[in-house]
Amino acid sequence: FSTVNNNAPVTRRTYTELNMRQPIMAGNWKMNPATEADALNLANGFCALLNEMADTCAMDDKEGCTEVVLFPPFPFISKVKDIVAKNGISVGAQQVYYEDKGAFTGSVAASMVKSVGCEYVLCGHSERRTLFSDSDVNINSKVKKVLEFGMKPILCIGETQEEYDLKITKEVCAMQVSKDLAGVSKQEMKNVVIAYEPVWAIGTGLVCDAESANEVHKYIRSVLSKMYDDEVAQSMRIQYGGSVTPDSVDGLMAMSDIDGCLVGGASLYADKFARIVNFQPLE
Ligand SMILES: O=C[C@H](O)COP(=O)(O)O
């Protein structure tokens, strides 16, 4: 890990120059902030900081730079999109239901989030799995529904603390990948992103060390290679998530198989998330 100087000017090269898959940084606001006014302040503050940063990666040139996606709570999506879209930043939904419409009180359909401009949808986040009983079967239906509506699922997988202690991280990830992506075609996989999030690292401050995370990412690619082929495995973008901060992002992004981060807590601070988006690749 390099020592991070948060005030250092950021020198950027495009991901193609760095011979990387296009990095994707996502901010999952979860059930925050409390009001629309606070959400719009956060979005405005984040964009203002990106604009201040010289040669920033989030601007305009989506082909050449880091892709940035924000996941605000449903009620704030439209207005946040209005603020961030002009900076080349996309918005996504934190979850959808797999049915198209009907008597599902409290649920939100893929068509609805698509119609307000969502490009991405989180599927299988561990908080949905544990707190809202999202099963692999349901997650698979949601992934397919998101793809059907022309959006891109970010499939979240990862082991719990107990599974980590039992040293079955790889088995858990392989099982989740195979069940959650069952029936997804090779063509559709171009629109899928995977986020490896060890559950024990989420919101705990316990960031998985970069080398260990990278090993799991490589293993996930080997699973994808068996399910599909090498082309899918090597082109798939795999994010790391779990207590990512400005201090840990550079080391994570220096790893060969980590293509971005799914950030929770730190994405609620405009300055922290702007610094994460502007990670500094280690030479
Ligand atoms: O979706 C984001 C992940 O759950 C990570 O959250 P965190 O950065 O607060 O640990």
Side-chain angles (χ1 to χ4, degrees):
F1 282 50
S2 68
T3 304
V4 175
N5 176 354
N6 289 319
N7 298 316
V10 175
T11 308
R12 293 216 56 79
R13 288 179 293 152
T14 65
Y15 73 97
T16 38
E17 286 170 323
L18 292 162
N19 198 24
M20 296 161 68
R21 291 166 284 268
Q22 183 182 19
I24 175 166
M25 292 296 186
N28 175 14
W29 292 359
K30 307 192 179 184
M31 203 170 76
N32 301 290
T35 68
E36 181 182 86
D38 290 342
L40 304 189
N41 271 341
L42 176 56
N44 275 316
F46 175 57
C47 288
L49 283 172
L50 289 186
N51 281 316
E52 274 172 26
M53 290 177 168
D55 206 12
T56 187
C57 60
M59 303 294 112
D60 301 329
D61 178 13
K62 279 186 117 177
E63 295 308 310
C65 297
T66 298
E67 186 175 1
V68 183
V69 192
L70 293 179
F71 290 90
F74 291 125
F76 309 148
I77 289 174
S78 282
K79 287 191 178 173
V80 168
K81 179 176 189 285
D82 289 345
I83 291 169
V84 302
K86 45 185 165 301
N87 289 322
I89 297 167
S90 315
V91 290
Q94 294 176 19
Q95 95 107 14
V96 291
Y97 195 46
Y98 52 77
E99 296 287 357
D100 285 333
K101 62 179 179 177
F104 303 105
T105 301
S107 294
V108 170
S111 63
M112 298 171 186
V113 300
K114 169 84 174 176
S115 73
V116 297
C118 285
E119 195 171 322
Y120 284 88
V121 179
L122 296 181
C123 296
H125 191 282
S126 71
E127 286 147 20
R128 300 299 311 180
R129 290 179 192 260
T130 54
L131 301 173
F132 300 95
S133 308
D134 233 352
S135 66
D136 287 302
V137 171
N138 287 357
I139 292 162
N140 179 240
S141 300
K142 291 177 181 186
V143 166
K144 288 175 175 167
K145 188 57 69 177
V146 169
L147 289 165
E148 182 189 322
F149 277 85
M151 296 180 289
K152 301 169 188 170
I154 297 185
L155 172 64
C156 305
I157 60 168
E159 81 284 6
T160 61
Q161 177 74 61
E162 191 185 0
E163 291 161 342
Y164 176 81
D165 293 340
L166 288 168
K167 302 190 194 313
I168 55 171
T169 295
K170 289 180 176 173
E171 289 82 350
V172 169
C173 289
M175 188 273 292
Q176 290 175 333
V177 166
S178 67
K179 287 188 175 175
D180 300 347
L181 294 176
V184 175
S185 71
K186 180 178 170 182
Q187 183 63 23
E188 289 174 317
M189 286 297 281
K190 290 183 179 149
N191 288 326
V192 176
V193 174
I194 290 177
Y196 167 59
E197 300 204 300
V199 179
W200 50 268
I202 295 177
T204 58
L206 296 171
V207 65
C208 181
D209 80 83
E211 300 277 355
S212 308
N214 200 45
E215 279 310 301
V216 180
H217 284 221
K218 281 186 185 168
Y219 179 73
I220 293 167
R221 286 191 205 287
S222 75
V223 172
L224 292 170
S225 180
K226 282 189 197 129
M227 277 178 78
Y228 296 93
D229 56 25
D230 256 1
E231 189 192 340
V232 169
Q234 290 309 317
S235 58
M236 171 66 54
R237 292 184 295 171
I238 306 180
Q239 299 176 303
Y240 167 80
S243 296
V244 175
T245 64
D247 290 327
S248 56
V249 69
D250 297 340
L252 288 162
M253 290 305 292
M255 294 292 120
S256 59
D257 289 83
I258 298 181
D259 308 311
C261 299
L262 178 54
V263 184
S267 72
L268 297 172
Y269 299 88
D271 56 343
K272 289 184 186 175
F273 194 52
R275 174 60 183 79
I276 288 169
V277 164
N278 283 286
F279 66 92
Q280 298 176 45
L282 305 180
E283 295 302 327

